[in-house]
Amino acid sequence: MAIIKTTDKDWLDFQSAVKELKEYFLSLSARKGRALTYNVLTYGCQLNESDSEKLSGMLSAMGLIPSSGGELDDADVILFNTCSIRENADRHLFGNLGVFKTLKKKDPDVIIAVCGCMMKVPENVAKIKKSYPYVDLVFDPQQLHRLPLLLRDSIRSKKQLVNIAADDYIAEDSFFPIDRKRKFRALVPIMYGCNNFCTYCIVPYARGRERSRDFGEIVRELEDLASKGYKEVMLLGQNVNSYKGEDGKTFADILRAASDFEEFSRVRFMSSHPKDISDEVIDIMATRPNVEKHLHLAMQSGSDRILKAMNRPYTISRFLEIADTFRSRVEGGSLTTDIIVGFPGETEEDFQQTLRAVEKAKFDAAFTFQYSARPGTKAAAFEDQIPADIVTDRFGRLTEYTNRYAEESNSRLAGKTMEVLIEGISKAGDMTFSGRTITNHLVNFTIPEELGIDPGPDNLEGRLCEVRIDRARPYSVDGVLVSLRGA
Ligand code: 5AD
Ligand code: SF4
């Protein structure tokens, strides 16, 4: 498997395919007497969200406009960006593909395409070929930059086109038109893929080998984002701390470069692997005011035996040592994690060790997962798979623990006035606003009328404010806005 950097020729081919598709869609639109739309359905993690911003950017460049965006919203181009980690992802995809069959029958010009991590699992591709012949195009996440070429070929041939690459490409973000979903937050991938091969995980197969973007390109992108008014950047990678740029540049160099832009109120990053996180990065978090005081460090298990079987090269005492370093250096910082229960061979004693580790680390929040075998991974072939009822029982007991510490973490904020970056109207839809502290705590707040603040998203999104926190909930805190910063 080779790592291939895109060249100027790829860029020229890209542009010429976009141009041809634009003409095609323009004539189709004239024929139908209406504007043509696209719907990109995104499942899974922030890397997928970032990919979808590029997919949307490319479709916009072809002259299409976004549909209203519901999950089953009709559109002229429907693109599924799939995930193979999250529960039930496959049921979701195949269920939804079934729904669009009627649409395709009614209007053969509709294009249905599927990409994302699930397409690197041969069984899924075989199923589409066999049972979903009306899907026009199937491609994998490594070939995002080839969407225009593949779409053009599929329209020309009028046959199902399946193109799964054997190579890992690295296309710089500057290559793409990007439709960023949020006005104030920019997702900035700094590296792609993963070399760790944790035995339960499909990502190294789905996303290929680790490859880092050019340091210079990343800084240029940050410069551009700062000049366009973005307030928050989220540096993304499966394993950001193993970033390796030209001239020995490390993740610490990127974090410093990003935080040098005063325009950014928040510099965030995801994810860190315990084997790679450095004291230098923790120091940057401690000393730079606009770098978030939040570290997401996946523990996965509290048992050394299970960590070894997972191919996670650290012991639980080393993990807790890093947690201690973070807590002692980054005052008030929050530590979050991922934990899997029911990994093959996990005994009650192993599970108890996980509970004890949670007690010691006192995670501010935890994403908990029930182990599920992913075809193609090593652990899927392990013999001692744990019965579902035991997994469910352990999961329930674990979440009771993790919720307790999450609530405690939120309770510590009660009574304080904290700086919050406003994200928008809260999901409750009742004129409660939401935002995050620099420790990534979610804050829902109201705005007293007497302050005379325009509550419109254009005025509020991306701005910093002070919120007095008066109540803690399990996953968030409630408060009242005290003052709004700057214009
Ligand atoms: N089963 C359960 N959880 C998984 N994760 C990854 N693969 C699996 C799997 N096969 C979890 C890990 C990872 C998070 C993103 O998803 O905890 O950190
Ligand atoms: Fe998967 Fe492990 Fe890589 Fe994370 S570090 S993406 S869990 S293989």
Side-chain angles (χ1 to χ4, degrees):
M1 203 183 311
I3 293 179
I4 301 175
K5 273 202 169 203
T6 51
T7 60
D8 288 349
K9 165 147 189 340
D10 292 316
W11 179 223
L12 290 173
D13 290 347
F14 177 97
Q15 285 174 315
S16 97
V18 168
K19 188 162 168 265
E20 190 176 326
L21 286 162
K22 200 169 173 181
E23 281 157 17
Y24 168 78
F25 287 125
L26 201 66
S27 69
L28 192 61
S29 161
R31 184 146 55 82
K32 292 187 185 285
R34 58 173 176 80
L36 300 187
T37 58
Y38 69 82
N39 188 4
V40 176
L41 294 153
T42 313
Y43 305 92
C45 68
Q46 275 142 338
L47 277 163
N48 253 20
E49 272 176 35
S50 163
D51 282 355
S52 285
E53 290 185 341
K54 291 174 187 159
L55 293 165
S56 303
M58 289 186 270
L59 293 169
S60 296
M62 294 168 199
L64 303 167
I65 56 169
S67 71
S68 60
E71 188 167 25
L72 296 176
D73 202 21
D74 287 3
D76 297 286
V77 175
I78 298 162
L79 213 165
F80 291 85
N81 189 9
T82 63
C83 160
S84 45
I85 286 200
R86 300 286 156 101
E87 289 301 320
N88 297 328
D90 44 353
R91 227 186 46 204
H92 231 97
L93 169 69
F94 292 114
N96 284 348
L97 278 180
V99 173
F100 285 118
K101 183 176 183 178
T102 352
L103 176 67
K104 178 83 182 178
K105 242 191 187 156
K106 224 169 55 196
D107 182 357
D109 294 324
V110 164
I111 294 166
I112 299 179
V114 188
C115 64
C117 295
M118 270 179 77
M119 297 306 102
K120 279 295 231 187
V121 178
E123 286 87 338
N124 292 329
V125 176
K127 192 165 169 181
I128 293 184
K129 280 186 181 163
K130 182 162 174 268
S131 310
Y132 302 86
Y134 55 89
V135 168
D136 299 281
L137 172 62
V138 176
F139 63 107
D140 61 271
Q142 270 77 288
Q143 300 195 85
L144 220 60
H145 61 288
R146 302 192 67 219
L147 170 70
L149 291 156
L150 297 173
L151 199 56
R152 182 194 62 191
D153 291 351
S154 118
I155 291 169
R156 275 184 189 166
S157 75
K158 296 192 168 57
K159 286 202 190 100
Q160 184 175 76
L161 175 65
V162 176
N163 199 313
I164 307 297
D167 297 312
D168 293 333
Y169 289 91
I170 174 150
E172 286 294 346
D173 279 20
S174 50
F175 199 94
F176 295 98
I178 304 180
D179 271 0
R180 298 197 187 268
K181 218 169 128 195
R182 300 280 211 155
K183 246 180 31 202
F184 65 92
R185 174 189 298 152
L187 304 175
V188 180
I190 59 166
M191 61 178 304
Y192 300 99
C194 180
N195 287 351
N196 291 318
F197 289 95
C198 300
T199 52
Y200 51 81
C201 186
I202 194 75
V203 167
Y205 306 94
R207 294 255 168 194
R209 294 297 73 72
E210 261 175 32
R211 50 216 189 271
S212 298
R213 289 182 56 199
D214 274 356
F215 183 79
E217 283 281 343
I218 295 171
V219 174
R220 257 192 296 284
E221 184 174 353
L222 293 171
E223 224 163 54
D224 181 53
L225 293 168
S227 75
K228 288 183 173 144
Y230 284 90
K231 299 293 174 213
E232 179 178 309
V233 288
M234 178 87 173
L235 305 168
L236 292 179
Q238 299 298 342
N239 191 10
V240 287
N241 294 281
S242 66
Y243 173 85
K244 286 180 196 70
E246 62 275 25
D247 308 324
K249 289 280 194 290
T250 64
F251 177 61
D253 294 316
I254 295 192
L255 204 51
R256 265 191 297 263
S259 80
D260 278 343
F261 290 97
E262 282 169 8
E263 292 88 338
F264 299 144
S265 320
R266 299 278 165 86
V267 177
R268 302 172 59 187
F269 59 94
M270 276 282 232
S271 292
S272 301
H273 192 299
K275 79 176 166 55
D276 297 314
I277 179 93
S278 65
D279 285 358
E280 192 183 4
V281 166
I282 294 180
D283 276 341
I284 296 172
M285 296 174 87
T287 52
R288 300 239 172 176
N290 62 351
V291 176
E292 70 169 352
K293 317 293 169 209
H294 161 228
L295 181 61
H296 184 78
L297 203 60
M299 179 176 87
Q300 310 297 7
S301 167
S303 153
D304 286 343
R305 207 176 63 80
I306 296 296
L307 286 172
K308 196 157 182 226
M310 287 175 161
N311 193 29
R312 303 278 296 178
Y314 52 89
T315 59
I316 194 61
S317 64
R318 171 69 191 135
F319 182 90
L320 294 171
E321 202 177 282
I322 304 169
D324 276 350
T325 308
F326 173 75
R327 295 255 190 239
S328 63
R329 294 206 200 161
V330 183
E331 208 196 318
S334 74
L335 182 68
T336 60
T337 200
D338 293 344
I339 303 172
I340 299 177
V341 287
F343 185 80
E346 184 189 72
T347 61
E348 177 61 25
E349 173 50 26
D350 292 316
F351 176 65
Q352 289 294 332
Q353 289 175 14
T354 297
L355 295 184
R356 263 173 259 151
V358 169
E359 241 165 22
K360 287 185 182 140
K362 298 187 174 43
F363 296 111
D364 296 84
F367 296 98
T368 48
F369 300 88
Q370 304 193 22
Y371 170 76
S372 83
R374 295 279 171 247
T377 59
K378 266 195 175 166
F382 288 178
E383 275 180 359
D384 33 10
Q385 304 282 326
I386 309 291
D389 55 335
I390 297 184
V391 180
T392 317
D393 172 66
R394 288 182 190 162
F395 183 73
R397 286 189 282 153
L398 174 66
T399 45
E400 246 173 62
Y401 255 67
T402 52
N403 286 350
R404 188 192 311 155
Y405 291 108
E407 196 159 356
E408 267 180 26
S409 167
N410 287 330
S411 303
R412 282 194 290 277
L413 305 191
K416 292 189 178 161
T417 296
M418 311 230 11
E419 185 185 77
V420 170
L421 185 102
I422 305 175
E423 299 194 344
I425 298 207
S426 91
K427 286 200 180 112
D430 53 0
M431 283 306 270
T432 321
F433 300 85
S434 71
R436 282 175 194 275
T437 62
I438 198 143
T439 50
N440 202 35
H441 284 89
L442 179 61
V443 182
N444 292 315
F445 60 95
T446 51
I447 304 180
E449 257 180 55
E450 59 270 25
L451 294 181
I453 292 171
D454 165 11
D458 286 345
N459 181 38
L460 293 181
E461 268 187 22
R463 285 181 69 180
L464 290 171
C465 66
E466 301 285 332
V467 173
R468 195 190 62 240
I469 315 283
D470 15 70
R471 184 178 159 178
R473 295 181 183 269
Y475 305 110
S476 62
V477 294
D478 294 344
V480 179
L481 184 135
V482 178
S483 61
L484 190 60
R485 297 257 179 92

